[in-house]
Amino acid sequence: MQNWCKKLFIVLAACAAAGTLHAQDNTRGWQVELKKLAFDVTSTEVKHAEAYQDFSEARLTSDSQSAVRGLFDMIADYHAEHYLWTNELLMDYGRTKVRPVEGEKVTNENADNILLTTGYTQRLWKVEDFMGGFEMGPFFNLGYETEFTKPDHSPRKKILRGTGGVKLFEGKYIKNLFAAVVGERDYTYHPAASKLAWEAGVKVEQPVREGVTAKYSALYRKYVSTSEKRATDLSYEFEADARLDVQLYKNLYLAPFVSYYTAKGKYVSKRGENVYVGVSLSFSHLFHEAK
């Protein structure tokens, strides 16, 4: 595995060195954009439910509950003739609180993630007339992943991650399609663990009609080795998202969506799953556009 990784990075370095001969991009300068600020909020307030427990009307007998989920996605990318320097801050948090008729309140987090990444992509080739056009080149990303709140029964997630591979990007339909080798330094537990994985991902956008766009994304990561064996080690994880962005007014969008996540622990017999279906109200804003 180590020899294979060394060969891959030698190939990536050679591609990057050759990129100055083939780069064909005309976009220049900084692009700073709030890609998405989204909120999903629901609330159900039931009063005197204890007096109606023998009734068949669920609206009188249900538990009071509230759910909120927020997503913040901000980028600052620098477009040069032969390369693209990307920077992104992604924050996702969701919480549900249930107030039963009898018993204590229950609070569950259904999303909690902070991801800060910076990356370099070599503009090696530009394809004009195939699948709506796209660019292609080797890339390397460095990221740090953590969370807002510490889980009840485990430490706060703290992962430093380096990713190197090849991708197609900035096309009309293909926004990102890549395959890469991943090196992680996991500081969640002591002592810290070094992990090796490979991953592949895709982001695709399909215009449906004016003001309506279908968006699809998926990511698969497979872990192949770790320096510290723990009961919480994952064998693989997979996530996918599909949504339909409908423009309401200028930069305000309404998007029905479905998100799916699954993962399997190395020492757990069954894989875990999470499905989230909802409607999101989101806002985006372009602060500075690359020309």
Side-chain angles (χ1 to χ4, degrees):
M1 177 59 68
Q2 292 181 347
N3 291 333
W4 184 84
C5 292
K6 289 180 180 178
K7 292 179 181 179
L8 176 63
F9 281 109
I10 290 174
V11 171
L12 294 177
C15 291
T20 56
L21 302 176
H22 301 284
Q24 303 177 36
D25 182 68
N26 295 321
T27 305
R28 301 288 184 274
W30 283 98
Q31 176 139 330
V32 182
E33 182 178 2
L34 174 62
K35 291 186 69 68
K36 181 175 291 186
L37 178 62
F39 293 100
D40 312 322
V41 180
T42 60
S43 179
T44 301
E45 188 70 29
V46 183
K47 294 184 177 180
H48 310 299
E50 65 279 0
Y52 291 89
Q53 292 306 301
D54 295 331
F55 288 69
S56 60
E57 177 55 69
R59 288 173 291 184
L60 295 175
T61 61
S62 63
D63 294 330
S64 297
Q65 55 187 294
S66 59
V68 59
R69 184 170 182 176
L71 175 69
F72 176 90
D73 188 3
M74 183 83 179
I75 65 167
D77 298 343
Y78 183 76
H79 297 250
E81 182 179 2
H82 303 306
Y83 68 88
L84 174 64
W85 176 30
T86 58
N87 302 276
E88 182 174 17
L89 173 60
L90 178 65
M91 298 187 291
D92 185 15
Y93 185 79
R95 170 174 287 195
T96 300
K97 180 181 289 186
V98 181
R99 300 180 296 280
V101 178
E102 297 180 359
E104 298 181 355
K105 297 179 181 179
V106 178
T107 300
N108 290 315
E109 288 182 340
N110 48 51
D112 190 353
N113 192 49
I114 303 173
L115 181 60
L116 178 64
T117 59
T118 184
Y120 174 91
T121 302
Q122 187 74 39
R123 297 183 181 278
L124 198 58
W125 296 291
K126 188 172 184 179
V127 178
E128 298 283 0
D129 303 319
F130 180 68
M131 297 179 66
F134 53 83
E135 295 186 57
M136 180 177 179
F139 75 95
F140 179 80
N141 290 341
L142 184 64
Y144 180 71
E145 183 176 1
T146 185
E147 51 194 343
F148 287 96
T149 61
K150 173 186 171 300
D152 291 337
H153 305 293
S154 61
R156 187 189 303 270
K157 181 194 303 180
K158 292 178 290 185
I159 300 175
L160 184 64
R161 182 180 296 119
T163 306
V166 179
K167 69 177 178 179
L168 313 182
F169 60 102
E170 293 205 342
K172 180 179 180 181
Y173 305 114
I174 301 175
K175 300 305 178 182
N176 196 2
L177 174 62
F178 72 92
V181 174
V182 182
E184 288 187 356
R185 185 65 173 172
D186 190 343
Y187 295 96
T188 306
Y189 300 91
H190 183 77
S194 297
K195 300 179 181 180
L196 184 66
W198 66 267
E199 70 178 26
V202 61
K203 290 183 179 179
V204 177
E205 294 186 8
Q206 173 65 54
V208 178
R209 58 178 175 82
E210 185 177 357
V212 181
T213 304
K215 298 182 178 181
Y216 310 95
S217 65
L219 175 70
Y220 178 80
R221 181 180 295 133
K222 171 68 175 179
Y223 289 91
V224 295
S225 68
T226 180
S227 62
E228 301 286 340
K229 292 185 178 181
R230 294 190 173 95
T232 55
D233 287 343
L234 292 177
S235 176
Y236 66 84
E237 54 184 338
F238 171 79
E239 57 184 282
D241 181 272
R243 63 186 58 233
L244 190 66
D245 273 3
V246 180
Q247 186 179 29
L248 298 179
Y249 177 75
K250 292 185 177 180
N251 295 333
L252 189 64
Y253 294 85
L254 188 69
F257 69 92
V258 56
S259 297
Y260 175 75
Y261 176 80
T262 183
K264 184 180 181 305
K266 286 187 176 181
Y267 312 107
V268 180
S269 58
K270 298 180 180 180
R271 62 185 175 91
E273 292 182 294
N274 182 295
V275 179
Y276 193 87
V277 179
V279 178
S280 175
L281 183 66
S282 65
F283 173 80
S284 64
H285 181 70
L286 182 62
F287 294 97
H288 188 277
E289 184 177 8
K291 303 297 184 180

